[in-house]
Amino acid sequence: MLQYDFMRHAFAAATVVAVLSGVVGYFLVLRSQVFAGHALAHVGFTGATGAVLISLAPLWGLVLMTLFAGVAMGFMGERLAQRDVVIGLVLAFSLALGLLFLHFYTSYASEATTLLFGNILAVDLRTVWTLSGLSALALGALAVISRPLLFASLQPELAEAKGVRLRLYSVLFLAIVALATAECAQIVGVLLVFALMVGPAAAAQRLTGALASGVLLSALFALVEAWLGITLAFYTDWPSSFWITALSVAIYLLAGLPRLIERRAALQVPVG
Amino acid sequence: MNAIEFRDASLSLGSRVILSEVDLRIAAGEFIGVLGPNGSGKTTLMRAVLGLVPPSRGRIHVLGRPATRGNPAIGYMPQVRGDIAGMRLRGSDFIASVYNGHRLGLPIAGARGRAEVDRVLELVGARELSRRPLAEISGGERQRLLLAQALIGEPRLLLLDEPLISLDPRHESEVVALVRSLRRELQITVLFSAHELNPLLGAIDRVLYLGRGQAALGTVEEVVTGPVLSRLYGAEIEVVPIRGRIFVMSGGHPVERDAHRHEPSAERVH
């Protein structure tokens, strides 16, 4: 299957994006900001459709709009950014705006499906390079801020007392999440960003309490899900986004098994 | 040298005055119980010592210097937030996040960081405990780990904000006994806030009682009396000692009982 250009591009893009979303997703789950990530994806839809309307590449619309929204959310402060109602409304309105933009841009009906559910098989070489560049940027930034970010995520009051600027790291992190979301949307679409951002990270945290192995495992799960998803899509002709999401859910469920078995075993030990 | 000095210091959050013109001196090595009704400013007082709430008037000195943010000589255990109880991260990594946590870079503890984490775990006797995820240990065990975290960096002053919250009586006395022995072993000053005095009786040197913008510092006998508490609560208070325990009553009801909720989060400044 690797004799086709589009398949090689798909695998390259999936690799780059999966590693980024696995790593960023780990921090997102750790900070309980999962819903914020979801909202960013929807805002990205507005950006992408807006870009299409003024004949720009949708990827840049995605990147700009999610970055803007991510930074804005960071400035609003954690408490506001985590408010379900506010995020829910922003989320709905972004989709509605995106719909309006698509309504004006009537020539491609399939554009909506591509944006909402992704189409990794349509990624060209140039996009692969763009995705790689953005990934490197986001991962580099995350590497630089990861220590204070972790501190601020785990013990905000203590971090503040030790001189960590909470707002700054909140803004920087959400900007990184924005980049990851925009990239992820290219692969699985804005509606299924959860599959690559949250599924692998949550599964990894179910399996290990160690930070380093957790991050690595999360990236590994994302990679396996993306690669296997594309392969299955190639042989079954079902959408790759479906396969990636299905694998993500399956791995998350499987990750819960060891503890379930442990608990069962503990229950069966006779008392005394 | 005094560990903490308030010189006519006032603290306010927005337009609300939390403490007004408080004058107090806490000597190095003292174990102080910080008490007072909800919203009386226990957390704000600690945040002021940490340099996070600058005094609106007067001065605050910590270990001989004006209170400044990021003072490495202070160990701080904030009030426990609910989400820590759900974390899948293991205890040792949680504790290690404090080590050099304010510096940029990857969160990888070097040999020195690991040695420091081992040292504080040993101090609170939680080596085994730290290998398990936070979500899988009990509330009392979690407090032990948080206490270890506050000891990272060898602080000389320890601020513990409501370490007894939501613990049962057995774990309450375990935590108090642990803090007491740490204080003796490390010879550090401890500020320990609580919503009830009784678990701290016998362990603390003096009590700092806050209420209605005022503060009273002294021994339990001096401070926990009807007249002083009536002034701090702004209501008729009766102090009833029963078999070595002290009950603070207002109109026939104990006032500390229903005060076990977290102080309002509005106390945090943004």
Side-chain angles (χ1 to χ4, degrees):
Chain A
M1 89 191 140
L2 287 176
Q3 78 233 35
Y4 301 104
D5 265 354
F6 71 92
M7 284 308 281
R8 283 204 298 274
H9 295 159
F11 273 101
T15 306
V16 165
V17 173
V19 170
L20 176 66
S21 19
V23 174
V24 173
Y26 187 89
F27 285 90
L28 197 66
V29 173
L30 197 68
R31 288 172 66 85
S32 322
Q33 281 185 320
V34 164
F35 205 41
H38 195 51
L40 281 179
H42 284 62
V43 174
F45 180 66
T46 315
T49 48
V52 171
L53 196 60
I54 55 173
S55 39
L56 273 174
L59 176 59
W60 290 111
L62 263 167
V63 169
L64 288 177
M65 200 62 192
T66 50
L67 258 182
F68 170 75
V71 170
M73 271 160 112
F75 272 114
M76 281 192 292
E78 254 144 67
R79 224 169 285 157
L80 194 64
Q82 276 166 5
R83 257 198 217 158
D84 298 355
V85 175
V86 177
I87 295 183
L89 280 173
V90 168
L91 207 137
F93 188 59
S94 324
L95 274 187
L97 262 184
L99 178 72
L100 180 71
F101 291 159
L102 278 179
H103 169 77
F104 290 137
Y105 185 81
T106 39
S107 47
Y108 283 106
S110 68
E111 197 70 47
T113 329
T114 304
L115 286 171
L116 288 175
F117 297 108
N119 186 5
I120 191 165
L121 302 181
V123 169
D124 57 18
L125 187 61
R126 219 172 115 204
T127 311
V128 172
W129 282 114
T130 312
L131 290 175
S132 309
L134 289 173
S135 262
L137 181 74
L139 277 177
L142 187 61
V144 170
I145 68 161
S146 56
R147 182 154 53 191
L149 176 70
L150 182 74
F151 190 15
S153 311
L154 296 178
Q155 277 285 47
E157 288 95 350
L158 185 55
E160 197 186 7
K162 295 281 179 192
V164 175
R165 288 159 68 192
L166 299 182
R167 185 69 51 85
L168 173 73
Y169 289 105
S170 181
V171 169
L172 287 176
F173 178 64
L174 279 171
I176 292 169
V177 174
L179 281 181
T181 309
E183 293 217 358
C184 233
Q186 286 291 299
I187 309 297
V188 286
V190 292
L191 288 184
L192 299 178
V193 161
F194 258 34
L196 276 180
M197 289 271 277
V198 178
Q205 285 185 19
R206 275 182 143 188
L207 287 175
T208 173
L211 177 75
S213 13
V215 173
L216 290 179
L217 204 58
S218 176
L220 186 73
F221 281 159
L223 260 183
V224 169
E225 287 162 14
W227 283 345
L228 213 57
I230 295 171
T231 311
L232 285 168
F234 182 80
Y235 289 110
T236 59
D237 203 30
W238 294 11
S240 55
S241 301
F242 164 77
W243 280 120
I244 294 174
T245 310
L247 287 167
S248 170
V249 172
I251 286 186
Y252 176 75
L253 290 177
L254 285 176
L257 276 185
R259 231 186 328 151
L260 198 70
I261 293 167
E262 215 171 272
R263 231 174 257 170
R264 277 279 164 82
L267 280 180
Q268 276 162 6
V269 173
V271 182
Chain B
M1 185 182 61
N2 285 322
I4 298 173
E5 271 182 47
F6 277 56
R7 294 182 200 156
D8 290 321
S10 298
L11 298 174
S12 15
L13 297 177
S15 59
R16 214 170 109 224
V17 178
I18 307 292
L19 286 179
S20 121
E21 295 173 39
V22 168
D23 207 59
L24 56 90
R25 277 156 186 76
I26 291 168
E30 272 194 289
F31 187 167
I32 304 283
V34 183
L35 288 134
N38 278 345
S40 60
K42 300 188 290 276
T43 300
T44 308
L45 180 122
M46 290 191 179
R47 288 173 63 82
V49 171
L50 288 162
L52 294 172
V53 180
S56 47
R57 59 166 293 183
R59 268 180 297 175
I60 300 174
H61 278 227
V62 178
L63 300 162
R65 298 214 185 111
T68 43
R69 201 174 151 187
N71 186 343
I74 309 178
Y76 175 43
M77 174 176 164
Q79 263 181 44
V80 185
R81 289 162 298 116
D83 52 347
I84 290 181
M87 276 185 192
R88 304 289 323 156
L89 199 67
R90 68 177 179 198
S92 54
D93 282 357
F94 181 80
I95 291 174
S97 70
V98 188
Y99 188 78
N100 279 339
H102 58 289
R103 295 207 192 140
L104 291 177
L106 291 172
I108 297 167
R112 225 189 273 170
R114 279 198 302 275
E116 177 65 0
V117 171
D118 282 347
R119 184 187 71 90
V120 296
L121 284 174
E122 203 70 61
L123 277 172
V124 303
R127 255 184 164 206
E128 288 300 310
L129 210 61
S130 71
R131 298 199 184 113
R132 287 159 57 196
L134 292 171
E136 284 175 18
I137 61 180
S138 75
E141 293 171 327
R142 222 171 283 131
Q143 297 300 69
R144 203 174 268 267
L145 288 180
L146 290 169
L147 201 54
Q149 190 174 47
L151 292 169
I152 290 264
E154 305 193 33
R156 286 150 62 204
L157 168 64
L158 206 52
L159 307 178
L160 310 175
D161 198 354
E162 299 270 7
L164 303 183
I165 219 152
S166 68
L167 291 185
D168 57 38
R170 187 171 64 84
H171 285 114
E172 275 186 355
S173 47
E174 267 178 33
V175 169
V176 173
L178 178 61
V179 173
R180 196 183 178 185
S181 72
L182 284 173
R183 196 270 301 231
R184 205 174 305 138
E185 198 178 329
L186 305 171
Q187 305 201 320
I188 50 179
T189 316
V190 179
L191 254 66
F192 189 123
S193 76
H195 59 266
E196 220 195 331
L197 174 64
N198 285 312
L200 295 174
L201 282 178
I204 50 174
D205 300 316
R206 291 199 291 169
V207 55
L208 172 59
Y209 224 112
L210 307 179
R212 294 204 310 154
Q214 301 171 62
L217 177 65
T219 61
V220 173
E221 291 75 23
E222 288 165 2
V223 171
V224 187
T225 62
V228 174
L229 294 191
S230 298
R231 179 167 57 89
L232 293 177
Y233 276 90
E236 194 59 44
I237 296 286
E238 214 184 335
V239 173
V240 188
I242 304 175
R243 274 188 262 158
R245 290 164 67 83
I246 297 174
F247 293 90
V248 179
M249 318 278 281
S250 171
H253 297 288
V255 293
E256 290 171 329
R257 271 284 142 223
D258 38 81
H260 54 77
R261 289 182 173 280
H262 287 225
E263 291 189 29
S265 51
E267 288 225 346
R268 282 192 60 189
V269 194
H270 283 279

